[in-house]
Amino acid sequence: MKQVAVIGAGTMGNGIAHTFAQAGFKVQLIDINEILLKNGLDNIAKNLDRMISKEKILEVDKLNTLANIKPFTDLKLGVTNADLVVEAATENSDLKLNIFKQLDEFCSNEAILATNTSSISITQIAGVTSRPDKVIGMHFMNPVPIMQLVEVIRGYSTSNHVTNTIMELSKTLGKIPVEVNDYPGFVANRILMPMLNESIETLYNGVAGVEEIDTVMKLGMAHPMGPLQLADFIGLDVCLSILKVMYDGFKNPKYAPCPLLINMVRAGKLGVKSGEGFYDYSESKKAEKVSSQFLK
């Protein structure tokens, strides 16, 4: 396996491309948005510079990594010769299903099709292809170049050969793969998202403020980051999407997203990516609490 195509140049996509390229793979990074594609490549370069400053890699490693990445805005051209495709588009089931229909048409018959989805059914995605045995989940954690875990999710028809191939491949990236089964949210988000949602409910019900909730969890539970700040970093829109998938999949009210989360997403307060969520990330007010308007 030499050629890897990564679809989506956002936070997860450029992190996945960075990780494969640094491990010596030839990577075709694909995004239909030229601006996002350029920003993704710029972010990879910045992250490599950060690693150089921390003496984790040398300048030559940066140059080799960047040389291994080739950008594409055309999906068909970007995936034609790929041995493995990792889809890292927005967490939207309709979008992912459409992408996989095209991948099934454009990719070689031997290519493995992986998705970085954090909650959507691998079996459902595989069902729109003619190769469900070659469709699998590779759920990387953010930031991808640093976090060691990869959730490897088997769909109903995923073959043992493909699962073993992806498990071994993850190890060559310096990751620790964990095989899990195909249920909404898998393991990571099935446990994480209800905790984040309950933290938002705690704020919504006026039990405590943003900083107080995060402080309790950091000091009392030894979490490196409070749940509300973590939700901001994940993206409140992403949290909402995952909770909706879990609620639809299990029909259990404990996964129903908090009204405060819904209203904040409607208002465009998505966290770090929009400059404001539970905290204010603008240059003048970094890490300040948001206005109490959303609690009314």
Side-chain angles (χ1 to χ4, degrees):
M1 189 172 291
K2 298 178 180 178
Q3 298 285 340
V4 177
V6 178
I7 301 172
T11 301
M12 295 304 294
N14 73 62
I16 294 168
H18 171 165
T19 300
F20 273 102
Q22 191 172 333
F25 292 87
K26 298 297 182 182
V27 179
Q28 292 133 215
L29 180 59
I30 307 160
D31 202 302
I32 59 173
N33 187 315
E34 291 188 14
I35 295 175
L36 288 179
L37 189 57
K38 181 182 182 304
N39 289 343
L41 292 169
D42 289 343
N43 283 334
I44 293 172
K46 290 176 184 177
N47 288 332
L48 289 167
D49 284 335
R50 191 174 294 113
M51 295 175 78
I52 291 172
S53 68
K54 294 180 179 180
E55 298 184 344
K56 292 185 176 181
I57 63 171
L58 301 174
E59 180 69 26
V60 66
D61 298 316
K62 172 188 173 180
L63 296 176
N64 289 336
T65 299
L66 293 176
N68 282 336
I69 303 173
K70 187 175 181 180
F72 288 85
T73 55
D74 185 289
L75 179 63
K76 184 175 182 178
L77 289 176
V79 303
T80 299
N81 297 320
D83 302 308
L84 168 69
V85 179
V86 182
E87 171 273 318
T90 304
E91 193 72 355
N92 177 289
S93 58
D94 290 339
L95 174 62
K96 290 183 185 293
L97 293 178
N98 183 52
I99 289 173
F100 272 78
K101 287 178 184 177
Q102 295 180 74
L103 292 179
D104 192 42
E105 178 184 351
F106 298 153
C107 294
S108 72
N109 292 333
E110 298 306 312
I112 295 174
L113 308 182
T115 173
N116 183 58
T117 182
S118 54
S119 61
I120 299 170
S121 168
I122 307 304
T123 303
Q124 179 187 13
I125 292 172
V128 302
T129 75
S130 62
R131 62 181 91 188
D133 59 313
K134 293 184 176 68
V135 178
I136 195 166
M138 285 187 82
H139 181 208
F140 291 86
M141 305 294 126
N142 185 35
V144 181
I146 296 173
M147 299 293 280
Q148 287 188 294
L149 176 65
V150 178
E151 273 189 309
V152 177
I153 308 106
R154 296 182 67 132
Y156 185 83
S157 301
T158 307
S159 71
N160 290 333
H161 173 70
V162 166
T163 302
N164 293 336
T165 297
I166 295 302
M167 292 288 286
E168 292 304 314
L169 175 65
S170 299
K171 293 175 184 177
T172 68
L173 299 176
K175 304 300 184 185
I176 299 174
V178 176
E179 182 183 335
V180 305
N181 290 318
D182 186 21
Y183 291 94
F186 315 131
V187 172
N189 281 318
R190 183 168 180 172
I191 295 170
L192 175 63
M193 286 300 152
M195 185 192 76
L196 299 187
N197 197 45
E198 191 62 30
S199 302
I200 299 169
E201 285 279 2
T202 303
L203 175 65
Y204 181 58
N205 293 329
V207 178
V210 171
E211 291 182 355
E212 289 76 12
I213 291 169
D214 277 355
T215 299
V216 166
M217 296 304 290
K218 286 190 289 185
L219 299 184
M221 313 303 167
H223 290 192
M225 181 183 293
L228 298 176
Q229 187 181 15
L230 177 57
D232 275 354
F233 273 79
I234 293 171
L236 302 190
D237 54 336
V238 175
C239 293
L240 179 58
S241 294
I242 296 170
L243 284 165
K244 285 181 175 178
V245 168
M246 293 171 66
Y247 181 63
D248 289 343
F250 292 114
K251 298 296 188 291
N252 189 322
K254 74 178 181 179
Y255 299 116
C258 176
L260 173 58
L261 175 61
I262 294 170
N263 280 339
M264 291 181 70
V265 173
R266 285 173 177 168
K269 309 301 182 183
L270 309 181
V272 175
K273 69 174 76 175
S274 68
E276 187 176 334
F278 293 105
Y279 293 85
D280 190 331
Y281 299 93
S282 62
E283 287 300 318
S284 59
K285 296 183 178 180
K286 281 187 176 178
E288 288 185 7
K289 288 180 291 184
V290 297
S291 167
S292 61
Q293 60 178 309
F294 295 108
L295 303 181
K296 296 178 181 177

